[in-house]
Amino acid sequence: MLAWLLLLPLANGRQLLGHSLNSLALPPRCKVGLGEPQHLLWVDWSLRSPGRIQLQEVQLAWHLPLPENLEEQAIFIAQLRRHGEAFTLQEVHHVPLREISRSEGLPLLNGSLQLVLDDSDLLGLFELCEGNSPVAAGSFPGAFAFTVQGEIKRGRQVDLSMAESARHPAWAFSFIEDHASPVAREGGAVQILARVVEEAKCHNEDNLVKNLRSLATCPWAHNYPIYILHTAQMEGAEEEQLLSWMDGLRFAQDGMDLRFLDVSEDFQRVEVGDSKVKIDQDDLLWFDATLTNSPEIRKAKPRRFQAGYRHMCRFQSSTVLTLPVFQHTRYLLHLDSDATFRCEGSDQLDPFQEMARKDYVYGLFEVGLEDPGCTKGWSNFLKEWVLLNDIELPNPVAALSTAGKTITQVDPYNKSERMIEVPLGSLSLTWGTAWEVLDLDFFTSPVLMHFSKRVEGALGHYRFLWGDHLIRAYQVLLYAPLERVRCFDTAELHGRHGCSADGQFGIEEEDPEGWQNIYSVLDNVSCPHLWYADGLEGVEWRGGPGSGTSPIACLKMCNSLPDCQGFDFVYRDLSQNCDCVMRMGRAFDEECHGGGVQGDAMAPWLPVSEPGATLLGAANRYQIIERMVERQMNCSLWQEEIAERIRRADVERLQDLP
């Protein structure tokens, strides 16, 4: 392998577009016998512009020694546009080159150029077919090669039927964005925010690669550009590392239109008034210092408190809506880097066409409730906003409200991790943003942008951990009737979300109805005063408590009983199985029998369990909030639940009338 040193300067907003220069890409061979003159047109099909950009420099690993005459040290870059089954030549750019390094006798070349490239343009190289033709590079899906006969001039067309597959050139461009005047929005695009050096959630996994492969099974995904927004500059990624990462993602997918854009500056900077302020981890330490659990946060470093997560929530809530790259796009489908659609063997609908069919403003895929620890100040902010701006709500208040709802969570002030019921904030609905479709005409409307910028300027993402899934629900509910929300049922667009290495994908395979529950074990206790009559004997549990496995039959039974809050169990090492009894209440250390198999906890088990118990305990059942693996949206049930909330609110209001 050749070891090239990449020297493209990337200061002043410059970004990279191209391929790794660490592999020598040889062009295909020219065809012979077609007459003179002949040229090889080498079209880089996989290199797509992220919007309108200005190319400023090119670097390429060249396959032949350079001519001695300096005036002949140049390449001809073709700028093309596809029209149906043909490529039309827009321009041919003569780019003088200079050698900047050499490895194994072959040069790495650099050249300056001024070339404005639209997102529908493609780049290629022209070479004269004379003397010994270059060695063929073999089949590769990244490029096409044409042998062109006759004069090369603007407007010349080459037919795709004459193309041969080829490896892409080993070249890279530096560019800056060219912000053209806005025009009417149309069409759709997919956007995925990703890290280059290390994945944000799924460590030691290539989840983005896996999910692009899965997305490629959806026929509609091949009709729209896929924008990979990344933070290579912020992460300190080396240029060659970035180019190799981009090539890896291009190779993983099957024919989709991938486009890459570094959003590091926009990702880190918060808009406050007329200024943009950079917030880093040190700034957040001051925000968090006022919290009662600040020492625990600094020690445990939970993901929700990390700077990257808070930046992400703010970026997806507002910043992404105004990126110039999407100024011509009508519908934007946002996918988390660990979320994808699964379209194998199905003829699934096109979400973009479905949004346009009835002029929907939002495509909804998940609903949930937000942790009260992440909604401080949010309900009051919304109420004041509605009051001060005299907003006439397009939906009944009951459709927005979570007043009176509670969730179960660990008591932060109890070291024994006792579970307590905690009331939600009065406006704590979440609309999951792992999958969503946004109508950018709606989301960039002046009234909604005013609201979104005020939310951003309040710094709630950073001070109080406001999430994009919380904000998104009320961006829509405050300004659009629910009739303009397109709910996508799981049966229409099935998907997965999460990291496969943590074992969560296995839950669906074992128990399709149990995906939304988790169980936490209290060791060495039993709670017979809470027992049901229901129970099971001899349930297989390979490895037992602490092994990472579960007594699946016990979990299924508890999940099937509406009032079941968990189960007590005794486990036998020798037989690798357990007995379990369902409970109608939650287990707490201080309210149950203790002492394990040698103490009081074993006494109630003696009449009902086989001998040989080595461990016992109590498993508490908890419902997962905002943590999905298999997408489980049932739109009919969601709509019925909203209608019921509105009906109950109307009845209560009538009862309160004199």
Side-chain angles (χ1 to χ4, degrees):
M1 177 175 289
L2 303 180
W4 299 115
L5 173 65
L6 187 70
L7 298 175
L8 286 173
L10 296 179
N12 301 321
R14 289 193 180 190
Q15 299 200 42
L16 277 179
L17 173 72
H19 302 286
S20 170
L21 302 178
N22 272 345
S23 59
L24 188 62
L26 300 177
R29 121 181 354 109
C30 297
K31 290 183 179 179
V32 294
L34 296 180
E36 296 292 344
Q38 290 181 180
H39 291 84
L40 173 70
L41 174 58
W42 192 8
V43 180
D44 194 342
W45 175 252
S46 64
L47 202 65
R48 303 299 178 91
S49 168
R52 184 180 173 89
I53 61 176
Q54 294 182 26
L55 302 184
Q56 298 188 326
E57 277 191 274
V58 62
Q59 217 168 87
L60 68 160
W62 201 235
H63 54 280
L64 293 172
L66 287 176
E68 293 184 3
N69 186 344
L70 294 179
E71 293 183 358
E72 296 179 3
Q73 294 182 11
I75 56 172
F76 292 89
I77 295 180
Q79 185 175 359
L80 306 110
R81 187 165 296 177
R82 182 174 176 176
H83 296 282
E85 295 302 308
F87 289 125
T88 301
L89 185 62
Q90 304 289 107
E91 297 286 351
V92 178
H93 304 270
H94 177 263
V95 182
L97 301 173
R98 62 185 179 89
E99 183 177 326
I100 56 176
S101 67
R102 179 173 289 269
S103 179
E104 298 182 15
L106 294 176
L108 179 66
L109 308 177
N110 177 277
S112 298
L113 69 161
Q114 293 294 322
L115 193 164
V116 176
L117 198 67
D118 285 324
D119 57 7
S120 56
D121 290 344
L122 294 168
L123 294 173
L125 279 170
F126 268 116
E127 290 189 56
L128 184 63
C129 293
E130 59 182 2
N132 296 323
S133 297
V135 178
S139 179
F140 190 79
F144 293 129
F146 302 86
T147 301
V148 181
Q149 180 182 1
E151 185 180 2
I152 303 300
K153 61 181 180 180
R154 185 176 183 178
R156 173 72 186 269
Q157 287 194 338
V158 289
D159 196 275
L160 272 172
S161 63
M162 303 297 293
E164 295 182 359
S165 295
R167 186 173 178 83
H168 56 70
W171 61 356
F173 297 86
S174 69
F175 72 88
I176 59 173
E177 293 183 84
D178 186 279
H179 300 155
S181 301
V183 297
R185 296 178 182 273
E186 62 181 9
V190 177
Q191 72 95 351
I192 302 173
L193 180 64
R195 289 176 60 88
V196 174
V197 177
E198 182 182 46
E199 291 202 30
K201 285 187 285 185
C202 304
H203 300 291
N204 301 317
E205 289 194 65
D206 292 325
N207 263 46
L208 181 54
V209 169
K210 297 173 187 175
N211 292 337
L212 285 174
R213 286 173 178 164
S214 181
L215 182 61
T217 66
C218 302
W220 54 266
H222 295 259
N223 301 326
Y224 305 96
I226 315 291
Y227 287 88
I228 310 296
L229 308 180
H230 62 83
T231 53
Q233 182 182 352
M234 184 190 77
E235 299 171 60
E238 299 290 337
E239 287 88 350
E240 179 58 36
Q241 182 181 18
L242 172 59
L243 291 170
S244 297
W245 177 78
M246 291 192 290
D247 274 346
L249 295 179
R250 291 188 186 106
F251 186 75
Q253 54 82 33
D254 181 18
M256 293 191 298
D257 180 1
L258 295 191
R259 307 179 183 196
F260 297 88
L261 187 69
D262 194 322
V263 294
S264 293
E265 281 298 306
D266 291 304
F267 186 77
Q268 297 177 91
R269 295 191 181 276
V270 185
E271 190 167 322
V272 182
D274 295 330
S275 303
K276 286 191 174 183
V277 181
K278 186 176 181 179
I279 294 180
D280 59 24
Q281 189 67 51
D282 291 337
D283 298 314
L284 297 180
L285 288 176
W286 288 103
F287 286 144
D288 297 340
T290 60
L291 302 176
T292 56
N293 59 340
S294 179
E296 289 80 6
I297 293 170
R298 291 196 301 272
K299 182 178 179 180
K301 298 181 177 64
R303 180 172 173 268
R304 188 83 187 241
F305 283 85
Q306 292 174 8
Y309 187 88
R310 298 191 229 193
H311 283 321
M312 180 276 294
C313 290
R314 186 264 312 151
F315 180 86
Q316 297 291 6
S317 298
S318 55
T319 307
V320 73
L321 306 175
T322 57
L323 289 180
V325 71
F326 298 129
Q327 65 181 337
H328 302 153
T329 301
R330 175 70 186 274
Y331 296 107
L332 188 64
L333 193 159
H334 164 218
L335 283 178
D336 273 2
S337 61
D338 62 338
T340 192
F341 294 110
R342 300 169 63 194
C343 302
E344 298 93 337
S346 64
D347 184 20
Q348 296 194 358
L349 57 79
D350 181 326
F352 296 104
Q353 291 182 2
E354 190 62 22
M355 291 290 292
R357 186 174 63 85
K358 289 192 175 180
D359 200 28
Y360 293 110
V361 300
Y362 187 74
L364 176 67
F365 290 79
E366 295 291 347
V367 295
L369 303 170
E370 183 61 297
D371 185 328
C374 303
T375 59
K376 183 179 179 181
W378 174 248
S379 296
N380 287 337
F381 176 90
L382 284 182
K383 292 172 184 177
E384 290 178 6
W385 178 263
V386 170
L387 179 64
L388 295 176
N389 291 275
D390 197 23
I391 294 176
E392 186 174 340
L393 294 175
N395 300 292
V397 173
L400 286 67
S401 177
T402 53
K405 290 183 176 291
T406 62
I407 63 171
T408 305
Q409 64 177 200
V410 175
D411 183 351
Y413 303 105
N414 190 316
K415 292 185 178 179
S416 66
E417 296 191 349
R418 176 189 177 106
M419 305 302 293
I420 57 175
E421 295 292 320
V422 180
L424 293 175
S426 59
L427 297 167
S428 298
L429 294 175
T430 62
W431 286 3
T433 52
W435 306 266
E436 59 176 348
V437 187
L438 294 79
D439 176 3
L440 292 183
D441 265 353
F442 170 74
F443 277 89
T444 59
S445 62
V447 63
L448 188 47
M449 283 307 305
H450 183 40
F451 171 70
S452 300
K453 292 302 181 184
R454 288 300 294 270
V455 172
E456 180 176 343
L459 299 180
H461 304 90
Y462 301 95
R463 298 166 61 203
F464 308 126
L465 307 182
W466 294 352
D468 55 321
H469 50 301
L470 173 71
I471 292 165
R472 187 75 80 230
Y474 292 95
Q475 283 175 319
V476 179
L477 289 168
L478 289 184
Y479 292 102
L482 280 168
E483 290 76 15
R484 297 196 67 191
V485 174
R486 173 59 162 93
C487 181
F488 289 93
D489 202 278
T490 304
E492 294 180 300
L493 286 169
H494 186 50
R496 278 182 169 176
H497 183 210
C499 309
S500 58
D502 59 13
Q504 292 181 23
F505 286 136
I507 294 174
E508 177 264 343
E509 295 166 4
E510 295 284 1
D511 182 7
E513 302 303 322
W515 64 272
Q516 70 272 54
N517 298 291
I518 57 174
Y519 288 81
S520 177
V521 173
L522 295 177
D523 294 323
N524 300 317
V525 302
S526 66
C527 314
H529 62 291
L530 299 174
W531 285 3
Y532 273 122
D534 301 89
L536 296 170
E537 295 180 352
V539 175
E540 183 181 37
W541 193 354
R542 294 292 179 185
S547 66
T549 61
S550 301
I552 297 298
C554 299
L555 270 64
K556 285 185 176 182
M557 174 173 278
C558 190
N559 291 343
S560 68
L561 299 171
D563 297 325
C564 181
Q565 297 297 309
F567 54 86
D568 288 5
F569 64 85
V570 289
Y571 174 76
R572 293 172 285 272
D573 267 330
L574 184 61
S575 58
Q576 298 274 291
N577 65 26
C578 73
D579 303 335
C580 54
V581 177
M582 305 299 114
R583 283 196 327 274
M584 64 183 70
R586 203 168 299 282
F588 299 106
D589 281 322
E590 58 269 32
E591 298 174 5
C592 299
H593 301 309
V597 295
Q598 302 300 323
D600 294 341
M602 189 63 198
W605 281 107
L606 293 175
V608 296
S609 179
E610 293 292 327
T614 52
L615 293 170
L616 61 78
N620 285 323
R621 173 188 177 189
Y622 303 114
Q623 186 171 17
I624 299 173
I625 302 297
E626 280 302 316
R627 186 184 177 198
M628 305 296 180
V629 176
E630 292 294 322
R631 198 171 81 79
Q632 296 286 327
M633 189 65 182
N634 186 316
C635 294
S636 297
L637 291 180
W638 172 68
Q639 291 159 351
E640 290 171 7
E641 196 269 339
I642 292 177
E644 178 60 20
R645 289 209 312 265
I646 295 171
R647 187 194 65 78
R648 286 200 307 267
D650 290 341
V651 170
E652 292 170 3
R653 186 171 61 252
L654 290 174
Q655 290 174 344
D656 291 339
L657 293 176

